[in-house]
Amino acid sequence: MIDREPAGSSRHGSNMDPSIKMAVNRHAITDEVAAAFAESEVIPERYCRPDEVHDGIVVGHDDDEAYELPAVDMERLLDPELAEAEIAKLGSACRDWGFFQLVNHGVDEQVVNEMKDSTVQFFSLPLESKRTVEIQDNGFEGFGHHYSRASGKLDWAESVILITQPIQDRNPELWPTNPSSFRDALDKYSAEMTKLAMRIASIMATDLGVDQEALVGAFGDKQQSMAIHHYPPCRHPDKVIGITPHTDGLALTLLLQLDDTPGLQIRKDGRWFPVRPCPGTFIINVADILEVLTNGTYKSVEHRVLTDAEKGRTTIVTFHEAYVDGMVKPIPEVLKLNGAEARYKSIERLEYIKGNFAALSEGTRFLESLKI
């Protein structure tokens, strides 16, 4: 989502394929950066991006049009008497917006609250403590900035990015131990997100009219990663970007926001639509691989994050990978059902990850190169 995602480790970030590793660049958070985040009176040149902030029309809440993000109710999705209409609502959101808010999501509230508490405590720590899990050896896991781009500009945020599933792909050295609850909270939350993603995938399969295993199987036992972001307040929000406009490169993104600070905006019909934070919900979005799997039926949509002048914003974003027989390609059942030709080239999973990371660093979208 929004928020930038890792992918492609074979086992631990330090053993990532070299060609991927070369394309990934994250900068450490230095004392000078931390001071700039804390004061934000003078914006360092590497963060100053006023032209990007003002690029495009932002639709206001008082404009004469309704644009609340579609809300989908998990309880209704699971109710045999109500499911059909709610599945249609989910499908419409994935086709028209690429995003929806999930209410009554069924995720264990204690697990969610423990993850929230641990995250807030971590970002409240002194920089010295947070740097114990700092990015290493030009890798992408650990604490630091977002991914860097060819422009050299940086996003106004600090992040912890980790591979969370499968367990053997984790790098324990980069899992925070302060607060002491963080690792256990992260482990439990990761398991809950896997269950939620599988549940959503099965419902999407129903909407698409294919056997559930066709889509659930594409997600099953694949890599999951998390980006835990804190966007400090900035006295000059018209000059900095929380996250650069982008689409998510994996398959499905699940975002949990920890506060009511606005910032996420979705590009639709050439304009930016702000998303109003809604407590107790997840924001779900279609990512690039899912667009390919559905042969373009579902849309992966560009989004960005702006900063707030007075309040920080914190999010926990979970990314799920998916592929079919080691390939990123349209699901055969989707093509057969619709009698359609593939609109995307098939590409081996690792080649897709390499291409996606390379495009990310260049500020382009790899998905465009796969369109037929």
Side-chain angles (χ1 to χ4, degrees):
M1 145 142 252
I2 72 50
D3 302 70
R4 297 294 174 79
E5 76 279 12
S9 161
S10 55
R11 180 177 172 81
H12 294 181
S14 59
N15 292 331
M16 190 195 309
D17 182 276
S19 59
I20 296 176
K21 192 170 181 178
M22 289 174 61
V24 181
N25 189 16
R26 292 183 64 207
H27 289 275
I29 304 289
T30 63
D31 291 333
E32 291 76 15
V33 169
F37 282 170
E39 297 297 329
S40 71
E41 188 60 48
V42 177
I43 306 299
E45 180 60 30
R46 295 195 72 182
Y47 296 92
C48 196
R49 305 157 69 182
D51 292 345
E52 295 178 56
V53 175
H54 299 291
D55 180 20
I57 298 171
V58 178
V59 177
H61 286 287
D62 55 352
D63 287 358
D64 187 23
E65 63 178 301
Y67 71 93
E68 287 294 333
L69 196 63
V72 177
D73 190 324
M74 181 61 81
E75 289 185 358
R76 295 175 67 92
L77 288 169
L78 300 177
D79 186 326
E81 296 183 359
L82 303 173
E84 184 176 354
E86 204 67 15
I87 290 172
K89 187 187 295 186
L90 178 149
S92 176
C94 292
R95 289 167 173 82
D96 298 337
W97 283 86
F99 278 77
F100 61 89
Q101 293 195 75
L102 185 66
V103 304
N104 296 320
H105 47 71
V107 178
D108 188 310
E109 284 298 327
Q110 181 176 344
V111 171
V112 170
N113 289 333
E114 289 175 353
M115 186 64 191
K116 285 182 176 181
D117 292 344
S118 295
T119 297
V120 170
Q121 290 178 52
F122 176 82
F123 284 120
S124 299
L125 293 171
L127 178 61
E128 181 180 354
S129 297
K130 290 183 284 192
R131 292 185 71 177
T132 59
V133 290
E134 189 173 64
I135 50 175
Q136 301 174 355
D137 301 326
N138 296 320
F140 66 82
E141 292 191 79
F143 171 73
H145 278 100
H146 290 170
Y147 303 129
S148 303
R149 290 159 302 284
S151 68
K153 295 293 186 177
L154 296 173
D155 295 338
W156 191 264
E158 53 181 347
S159 308
V160 178
I161 299 178
L162 298 169
I163 292 173
T164 45
Q165 296 290 345
I167 293 174
Q168 65 266 24
D169 281 357
R170 295 176 179 176
N171 186 346
E173 294 179 1
L174 296 176
W175 280 47
T177 57
N178 189 3
S180 59
S181 60
F182 207 151
R183 287 192 174 191
D184 184 60
L186 187 57
D187 182 59
K188 292 177 180 176
Y189 185 78
S190 170
E192 285 290 314
M193 291 302 94
T194 296
K195 289 191 291 185
L196 181 60
M198 294 303 103
R199 194 174 300 133
I200 293 171
S202 69
I203 295 166
M204 287 177 166
T206 300
D207 171 67
L208 293 165
V210 300
D211 185 76
Q212 288 191 355
E213 182 56 29
L215 194 56
V216 173
F219 279 90
D221 299 321
K222 305 304 192 300
Q223 195 171 88
Q224 177 201 75
S225 48
M226 286 191 200
I228 306 170
H229 300 299
H230 173 65
Y231 308 90
C234 181
R235 297 182 186 181
H236 302 283
D238 58 332
K239 294 182 179 180
V240 302
I241 291 276
I243 286 187
T244 302
H246 67 286
T247 59
D248 292 343
L250 297 185
L252 187 67
T253 304
L254 317 177
L255 181 144
L256 176 68
Q257 183 162 337
L258 278 59
D259 47 60
D260 62 357
T261 306
L264 175 63
Q265 298 183 350
I266 300 168
R267 192 191 290 273
K268 186 176 188 292
D269 301 326
R271 296 177 294 169
W272 292 110
F273 287 76
V275 176
R276 196 194 313 266
C278 184
T281 70
F282 281 88
I283 294 177
I284 313 297
N285 70 278
V286 174
D288 290 352
I289 290 177
L290 187 55
E291 179 173 322
V292 173
L293 295 179
T294 64
N295 202 37
T297 300
Y298 288 175
K299 306 299 182 187
S300 177
V301 175
E302 189 177 30
H303 48 286
R304 68 179 184 178
V305 174
L306 299 186
T307 60
D308 189 86
E310 299 179 356
K311 299 188 297 182
R313 179 174 182 266
T314 305
T315 58
I316 303 166
V317 192
T318 310
F319 305 98
H320 289 267
E321 194 178 10
Y323 46 88
V324 179
D325 298 327
M327 304 290 291
V328 174
K329 65 179 182 179
I331 294 174
E333 288 86 344
V334 171
L335 298 179
K336 183 177 180 181
L337 178 69
N338 300 321
E341 295 291 330
R343 298 171 59 187
Y344 303 85
K345 303 172 187 173
S346 297
I347 182 172
E348 196 272 333
R349 175 255 182 187
L350 185 58
E351 292 304 312
Y352 174 89
I353 298 299
K354 291 179 184 178
N356 186 60
F357 266 129
L360 183 64
S361 65
E362 296 166 3
T364 59
R365 189 184 185 194
F366 184 61
L367 183 67
E368 294 299 320
S369 69
L370 300 182
K371 292 182 178 180
I372 299 175

